[in-house]
Amino acid sequence: MATLSGPPVLTSVILNLTTLLSFPPPTVSAGPKLTLTVPRSTLSGFTTSVTVTGLDAVSRYYTSLSRALDLTGNTQSESWTLSASNALIPLTKGKGLDEYKASVFASFVECLDTHLLKETYLGTKEGSYADVVICGLVKAVKDKGGEVKGENVVRWYNTVASMVKYELIVEKKKEEKKADKKAETAAAPAAAPAAPAAAVAPLGTLSPDSDEYKSNVLLTHLTSLSITSTTSTHTAAFTSDELQQYAGSLGQHCKNIFLKDKKHGLFLVTAAHDADTNTKALAKSLGLTGANMRMAPEDLLGKHLDVKKGSVGPMCIHSDKDNSVKFVFDSTLLTCDKIFSHPGRNDWSTGMAPVDLVKFVESTGHEVTQIEFGKKGEATQKKEVKADEEKGKKEGKQQKQKGGKQQQEPKKKGESQKKAKKEDAANTLLALQYKKKEAFAEWYSDVIVLSEMIHYYNISGCYILRPWSFKVWEKIQRWFDSKMGPLGVEPAYFPMFISKSRLEKEKDHVEGFAPEVAWVTKSGDGDLAEPIAIRPTSETIMYPAFKDWISSHRDLPLKLNQWSNVVRWEFKNPTPFLRTREFLWQEGHTAHATYEEADEMVMAALELYRGVYEDLLAIPVIRGYKTEKERFAGGYMTTTCEAYVPTSGRAIQGATSHNLGQNFGKMFEISFQDKNGKPAIPWQTSWGITTRTIGVMVMVHGDDQGLVMPPAVSPVQVVIVPIVSKKVSYETLSPYCEDMKNKLEAAGLRVQYDDRTIYNPGWKFNHWEQKGVPVRIEVGPRDFDNKACRVCYRYNGEKEDKSFDSELAPFLSSKMDSIQKAMFEKVKKERDDHLVKVTEWKDFTPNLEKGNLILTPWCGPEFQEEEEQVKEKSKAEGLERSGGEEDERCAVSVAGKTLCIPFEQPDLEEGTKCFYTGKVAKCWVLWGRSY
Ligand code: 87F
């Protein structure tokens, strides 16, 4: 079996370095001099810190701290690292990178690059000398304006750099609170939280005799109570997914939530990791009236529990000396043999019997309020069903078979149904936990999971697309394929592997992308003779075949389309659909006899992308050309369609279509005899759209109840939910509903009759709302009597009663169109309300801050340097105004960048000046913060 190496191996380096020294980590700053500051308290209990300055000294100091000195586990540093660092120390001194330094550096990089190609650095628990050398030097050179060209070095650096950044952030500790606070009040987060990191450090055991153990007050308190426990060390986990990944094998971890309620105070809730901790239901169970429980701000965590976000555990209650926090415990945890929680830090997990945990909390003078939490998903539903059964029994009615609650047909239909719905929602505990406007990133994760679109996977950046999202993708595919035939584009499939030589044939094309290429280097235990890349795109796979197929003008045009997966090993935080390491796409590749024909193809593909977004997904896009800086470097000209996400105020590139010119033709020696018998090089195009489309759809249309599906792509357009009563049973209602389903289906609608008896109507309403089905039809006993039904619209929450007659199907069919249109118009209005013109620099950043797309007069697409300056300056201004700072790993930036030069250009009066350079403007350019 072939195994992937390269990036996964490299990412383990991050772990090695971050776990090299326990919390707080050392700070490494790579400036003209590399400085390492190690808080000694973490090593020996002293509170002094040691600072080592200079690259070599830092390297040596690291070395002295670590028993396994290099990544191969040797106890001697490898000779190349020492000599390299010695030779390169002068580079880190003085300003700028002069020619001499640059040449020394270039030769070093070359030798290092070759070294990294044949050497695979497998991480051990300790850090590496090599990391320090490479990371420090590359950063130092980059800081001086130098460029690092070695592919393997860049890949290494990109991986390790995220660690340095992490440590630099820790360095800013004092300002952390301030920055965090500002970040909280800033605009909604732009990207969903990071998925689990790619590599997992092995679990370790913390000895109770160790200094580290003894200096942890929670653990010493535990010991003082004679409680039997074990504490394991692992990779720091910042999310429950990560915890599951890094320490899930230990056993049941608990979920800990610190809540604040204005009226009732602070609560620390410890529940099963899969418990549904809906705060409304919790308040109800606690008997709190008028409660509005929210996540407590982070400063309160520090103040009351002396812990940081992400490291909270039940034992932290120990720090609440004035008893201002109430402790709530999920009683279902009592059935576990052992439960694990953090003793104040998220790279340690302590396991003990649940009764002992209760004992611990009580020993701190806190009362333990026990509540039985439901489980997210099925278990909760079962519990609810059970409760319903109890209710049914009380009503003198056994519902063993049916399971679900048999709702009474309301006397006053509207009101009672509303009430029933409310009650059900409270019972189900399945509502979304986050509001879209308040916590966009968390809301996004919640929606895609609860709607059953995404299931998380244990490799960072890879996700399972469940039927509910894959069917949307299939809709896009079918629609797109229906347009391929008329354009003369044929389907094909090419292998997913590329040899190194082919991938690198077209240098411009791969340059810059190289760090993202994943390689297969082994089969079983043996090394492959030559590493094989996994396609990040297929130009270099397809074009050698084009060379074989094209020899005459009669072989042109050649137009192929392939649906496939591609792999790009991203280092920035991944987000399902939006930024993933493997994704699905369509890539079209064509070759033509003339530039004009190629250009026509480029525009036709872009028009299809407009169609996918606007006609299928109800999302308006702006089409245009990319600037020189942003276009695909391997081609001649790039066109794009850009969408807008109102909640984050960010643009997102929807799809691109390139005119590749004759560049690839030349590189791959594709030529043909033209009509006049003369040799010529074909003009090529490539174009692609990915599963990112689905993420954009979720972000743009979703609301606080979940997804809102545009009818054109919704796997189910109408769901029929029966509401049975004492008098009217399922058996009676079902034929009526089946008949309705058949009639609607005959009219071309996608219909589902939800006749599941284990769920009650309220549960079903909530379920289908979360999945965003455009229309729900409720059929109750009275509807049955009146040959009617109630039609509820997902996108605006409106409802109306309709007769079930021959008009219903055409009515709903046309409703699908009007809903689609209304959804598009609503989003378009929002987008247009955020589209502004700016003609002076001073207005640029303030408008970015308002989440606006900005049209500016611009000196021309070729002014790359100036474009970069706008980006950097707006970033600096943005950060200054918000008081924040940016993490390199973060996928989004506050910088404003060019999105496109829109095809539709507003009038540009003669003499208009570029808003930035003051030169004569040549066009309007669209800018924005983007994903
Ligand atoms: C990542 C790694 C290696 C983008 C990459 O846009 C290579 C690449 O060539 C790479 N990321 N690209 C550009 C892709 C160009 C083009 N390919 C066909 C498309 C549409 C579909």
Side-chain angles (χ1 to χ4, degrees):
M1 204 180 70
T3 49
L4 250 188
S5 86
V9 169
L10 292 175
T11 43
S12 66
V13 174
I14 300 176
L15 296 168
N16 298 332
L17 286 164
T18 50
T19 55
L20 173 63
L21 294 167
S22 43
F23 184 84
T27 56
V28 178
S29 41
K33 283 182 181 174
L34 196 70
T35 303
L36 171 85
T37 305
V38 187
R40 291 284 296 265
S41 53
T42 60
L43 297 170
S44 57
F46 294 111
T47 50
T48 50
S49 73
V50 57
T51 297
V52 190
T53 300
L55 180 71
D56 200 39
V58 166
S59 308
R60 260 187 264 118
Y61 190 75
Y62 253 120
T63 305
S64 72
L65 291 174
S66 159
R67 267 183 298 126
L69 296 184
D70 62 40
L71 290 169
T72 50
N74 296 331
T75 49
Q76 291 300 312
S77 60
E78 286 175 59
S79 56
W80 72 268
T81 51
L82 257 185
S83 58
S85 63
N86 282 335
L88 290 163
I89 288 168
L91 287 190
T92 61
K93 296 193 176 124
K95 278 189 193 152
L97 197 68
D98 63 30
E99 233 173 77
Y100 166 72
K101 287 177 185 174
S103 71
V104 175
F105 185 73
S107 64
F108 166 66
V109 167
E110 211 181 308
C111 120
L112 187 53
D113 209 44
T114 320
H115 182 83
L116 290 177
L117 188 65
K118 57 180 189 337
E119 231 19 90
T120 310
Y121 284 85
L122 277 171
T124 62
K125 254 197 107 183
E126 273 81 11
S128 108
Y129 189 86
D131 289 337
V132 180
V133 174
I134 297 172
C135 202
L137 284 170
V138 178
K139 175 121 179 60
V141 169
K142 278 192 156 192
D143 286 350
K144 285 170 189 292
E147 204 188 340
V148 185
K149 284 227 165 96
E151 177 196 322
N152 300 299
V153 176
V154 168
R155 191 145 49 115
W156 182 289
Y157 171 72
N158 279 344
T159 307
V160 180
S162 54
M163 176 279 302
V164 171
K165 193 67 194 171
Y166 166 65
E167 292 182 344
L168 290 175
I169 286 167
V170 176
E171 198 181 23
K172 296 271 173 326
K173 220 167 166 186
K174 272 181 229 150
E175 286 154 43
E176 219 169 54
K177 272 187 193 168
K178 206 173 116 201
D180 278 356
K181 222 172 173 185
K182 287 211 169 126
E184 260 177 40
T185 50
V200 183
L203 288 165
T205 308
L206 188 70
S207 161
D209 297 326
S210 66
D211 288 345
E212 282 174 312
Y213 188 102
K214 286 178 191 159
S215 59
N216 183 304
V217 284
L218 307 184
L219 293 178
T220 48
H221 183 68
L222 195 61
T223 311
S224 74
L225 296 171
S226 304
I227 287 174
T228 310
S229 69
T230 50
T231 296
S232 303
T233 59
H234 50 78
T235 306
F238 293 89
T239 65
S240 52
D241 277 350
E242 284 180 1
L243 188 60
Q244 207 48 35
Q245 196 191 351
Y246 305 146
S249 61
L250 290 172
Q252 165 92 280
H253 267 88
C254 44
K255 167 157 89 174
N256 300 282
I257 310 166
F258 190 43
L259 297 167
K260 184 184 170 189
D261 179 78
K262 272 198 186 133
K263 199 165 152 195
H264 303 283
L266 297 165
F267 296 82
L268 175 60
V269 179
T270 293
H273 74 97
D274 54 354
D276 204 317
T277 42
N278 174 304
T279 49
K280 267 192 195 151
L282 174 63
K284 202 174 158 193
S285 305
L286 289 170
L288 308 177
T289 49
N292 183 15
M293 296 174 114
R294 301 242 167 245
M295 292 288 177
E298 208 177 333
D299 58 335
L300 292 187
L301 264 183
K303 188 173 158 201
H304 293 277
L305 302 180
D306 193 23
V307 68
K308 282 185 159 214
K309 197 175 160 189
S311 296
V312 186
M315 287 187 276
C316 300
I317 199 83
H318 180 267
S319 305
D320 178 41
K321 300 294 180 205
D322 57 359
N323 238 307
S324 48
V325 181
K326 294 173 201 77
F327 185 77
V328 180
F329 188 70
D330 180 356
S331 59
T332 61
L333 286 171
L334 291 170
T335 58
C336 308
D337 288 344
K338 237 181 177 189
I339 44 174
F340 289 82
S341 63
H342 295 316
R345 46 188 288 179
N346 61 358
D347 55 347
W348 290 1
S349 290
T350 305
M352 69 189 92
V355 282
D356 284 336
L357 184 57
V358 171
K359 186 172 151 191
F360 180 102
V361 176
E362 286 176 341
S363 77
T364 65
H366 290 82
E367 208 177 289
V368 176
T369 306
Q370 293 194 16
I371 299 240
E372 190 183 338
F373 283 82
K375 281 197 168 45
K376 263 192 183 168
E378 221 182 342
T380 308
Q381 293 148 17
K382 277 194 194 127
K383 190 181 149 223
E384 188 208 4
V385 170
K386 214 172 142 207
D388 286 338
E389 276 175 0
E390 291 300 325
K391 209 170 167 188
K393 270 185 213 158
K394 262 190 207 155
E395 287 164 6
K397 187 165 166 232
Q398 283 287 354
Q399 297 179 11
K400 268 197 185 139
Q401 281 299 317
K402 301 185 170 78
K405 179 169 66 182
Q406 304 264 312
Q407 259 190 350
Q408 291 265 334
E409 169 61 6
K411 281 191 186 110
K412 248 176 89 191
K413 197 170 178 177
E415 257 177 44
S416 311
Q417 277 190 351
K418 232 186 204 166
K419 202 174 152 219
K421 188 184 161 214
K422 234 177 166 179
E423 276 174 13
D424 283 325
N427 287 337
T428 57
L429 297 176
L430 274 171
L432 261 69
Q433 310 251 354
Y434 299 96
K435 298 253 179 284
K436 188 178 183 187
K437 287 212 170 88
E438 286 169 14
F440 191 34
E442 290 80 0
W443 169 89
Y444 179 80
S445 296
D446 229 13
V447 170
I448 55 177
V449 170
L450 285 178
S451 65
E452 299 172 322
M453 276 196 154
I454 283 288
H455 190 77
Y456 282 90
Y457 191 65
N458 71 344
I459 292 178
S460 177
C462 301
Y463 308 91
I464 297 166
L465 303 194
R466 301 183 68 185
W468 199 250
S469 58
F470 199 80
K471 284 179 184 174
V472 173
W473 184 236
E474 281 186 331
K475 288 270 160 332
I476 295 172
Q477 287 185 301
R478 298 294 92 85
W479 182 91
F480 200 86
D481 276 341
S482 76
K483 312 283 179 190
M484 289 289 97
L487 284 173
V489 182
E490 293 191 297
Y493 185 80
F494 290 74
M496 71 184 303
F497 298 118
I498 324 172
S499 67
K500 193 165 163 36
S501 53
R502 281 210 177 160
L503 183 71
E504 289 171 355
K505 187 140 190 152
E506 215 294 349
K507 283 269 186 255
D508 286 351
H509 164 229
V510 209
E511 208 176 56
F513 294 129
E516 289 178 14
V517 178
W519 296 88
V520 179
T521 59
K522 279 177 172 283
S523 88
D525 280 342
D527 288 342
L528 296 186
E530 195 196 357
I532 293 172
I534 302 177
R535 68 175 159 225
T537 179
S538 300
E539 278 82 355
T540 54
I541 300 174
M542 293 185 176
Y543 300 164
F546 278 29
K547 171 183 157 72
D548 295 339
W549 297 335
I550 299 169
S551 55
S552 146
H553 63 92
R554 279 180 291 271
D555 301 322
L556 296 175
L558 174 62
K559 301 183 188 177
L560 297 181
N561 180 51
Q562 151 167 308
W563 291 98
S564 72
N565 58 340
V566 283
V567 171
R568 293 180 187 175
W569 212 261
E570 295 269 1
F571 293 97
K572 290 187 170 167
N573 287 336
T575 306
F577 299 122
L578 304 178
R579 185 180 290 276
T580 62
R581 285 180 165 174
E582 179 190 1
F583 57 84
L584 305 181
W585 74 349
Q586 141 297 307
E587 53 180 320
H589 294 263
T590 67
H592 307 262
T594 63
Y595 172 84
E596 289 71 24
E597 261 184 54
D599 199 49
E600 218 172 278
M601 184 67 237
V602 168
M603 294 305 168
L606 197 70
E607 168 55 17
L608 293 188
Y609 297 146
R610 185 210 58 76
V612 169
Y613 277 96
E614 298 200 336
D615 304 342
L616 295 185
L617 303 174
I619 298 167
V621 287
I622 296 173
R623 280 171 295 167
Y625 298 102
K626 284 285 182 191
T627 58
E628 271 298 298
K629 182 172 178 302
E630 296 293 332
R631 76 172 174 81
F632 170 37
Y636 174 75
M637 178 272 288
T638 295
T639 65
T640 177
C641 58
E642 301 282 325
Y644 175 72
V645 181
T647 313
S648 58
R650 284 182 184 270
I652 184 158
Q653 181 175 291
T656 49
S657 176
H658 315 279
N659 190 327
L660 301 176
Q662 293 172 307
N663 201 13
F664 283 93
K666 284 179 197 157
M667 289 298 158
F668 288 90
E669 295 161 352
I670 312 171
S671 66
F672 67 99
Q673 270 203 339
D674 70 12
K675 281 181 184 151
N676 307 317
K678 288 204 177 119
I681 293 165
W683 298 85
Q684 290 179 257
T685 80
S686 78
W687 24 281
I689 192 166
T690 77
T691 31
R692 167 180 269 206
T693 42
I694 303 172
V696 182
M697 178 192 80
V698 173
M699 289 197 293
V700 168
H701 294 303
D703 66 15
D704 288 344
Q705 273 66 53
L707 286 181
V708 180
M709 283 281 197
V713 290
S714 190
V716 174
Q717 293 172 310
V718 179
V719 61
I720 303 172
V721 179
I723 304 170
V724 298
S725 73
K726 275 185 201 160
K727 281 189 221 142
V728 183
S729 66
Y730 268 104
E731 286 71 20
T732 315
L733 274 190
S734 278
Y736 182 86
C737 295
E738 295 277 9
D739 183 33
M740 188 181 283
K741 172 180 156 66
N742 292 337
K743 295 213 160 83
L744 299 183
E745 278 182 342
L749 290 159
R750 295 188 287 278
V751 189
Q752 181 153 339
Y753 170 41
D754 189 350
D755 61 350
R756 290 174 293 178
T757 52
I758 56 159
Y759 302 126
N760 63 32
W763 186 94
K764 291 178 188 173
F765 295 172
N766 188 44
H767 176 72
W768 294 109
E769 266 174 21
Q770 279 178 355
K771 290 174 92 79
V773 169
V775 167
R776 176 179 77 232
I777 296 185
E778 299 169 9
V779 177
R782 189 181 291 182
D783 299 310
F784 175 72
D785 288 344
N786 298 341
K787 259 209 132 246
C789 63
R790 169 161 282 203
V791 182
C792 312
Y793 303 104
R794 177 66 182 86
Y795 83 106
N796 63 4
E798 286 174 8
K799 298 172 183 191
E800 57 184 328
D801 290 331
K802 295 297 282 179
S803 295
F804 173 27
D805 54 23
S806 58
E807 293 301 304
L808 186 65
F811 168 78
L812 285 174
S813 290
S814 81
K815 263 285 170 196
M816 292 302 142
D817 296 338
S818 55
I819 292 171
Q820 183 83 23
K821 205 156 172 262
M823 285 176 69
F824 177 81
E825 290 304 333
K826 180 175 168 241
V827 178
K828 182 163 185 309
K829 182 171 182 320
E830 258 180 298
R831 201 270 320 264
D832 290 346
D833 287 348
H834 285 92
L835 187 55
V836 296
K837 279 186 188 157
V838 161
T839 52
E840 288 180 73
W841 169 257
K842 70 172 175 50
D843 299 326
F844 189 71
T845 309
N847 271 290
L848 287 177
E849 271 174 350
K850 286 182 197 154
N852 287 337
L853 299 177
I854 305 171
L855 273 168
T856 71
W858 184 244
C859 41
E862 69 278 22
F863 285 84
Q864 297 194 51
E865 238 171 63
E866 289 74 1
E867 195 178 322
E868 181 61 27
Q869 285 166 18
V870 171
K871 213 168 149 185
E872 288 303 320
K873 240 176 125 176
S874 63
K875 179 173 163 184
E877 277 187 13
L879 292 177
E880 199 187 318
R881 290 165 72 107
S882 69
E885 56 176 283
E886 251 169 36
D887 181 344
E888 253 176 44
R889 282 200 63 189
C890 183
V892 290
S893 163
V894 297
K897 57 178 264 194
T898 59
L899 307 172
C900 67
I901 302 167
F903 291 161
E904 270 181 43
Q905 287 276 311
D907 285 340
L908 188 65
E909 269 179 42
E910 226 184 291
T912 307
K913 300 258 168 64
C914 168
F915 89 113
Y916 180 71
T917 62
K919 294 183 181 139
V920 174
K922 289 196 198 132
C923 57
W924 289 91
V925 169
L926 186 68
W927 305 76
R929 287 183 177 164
S930 76
Y931 281 94

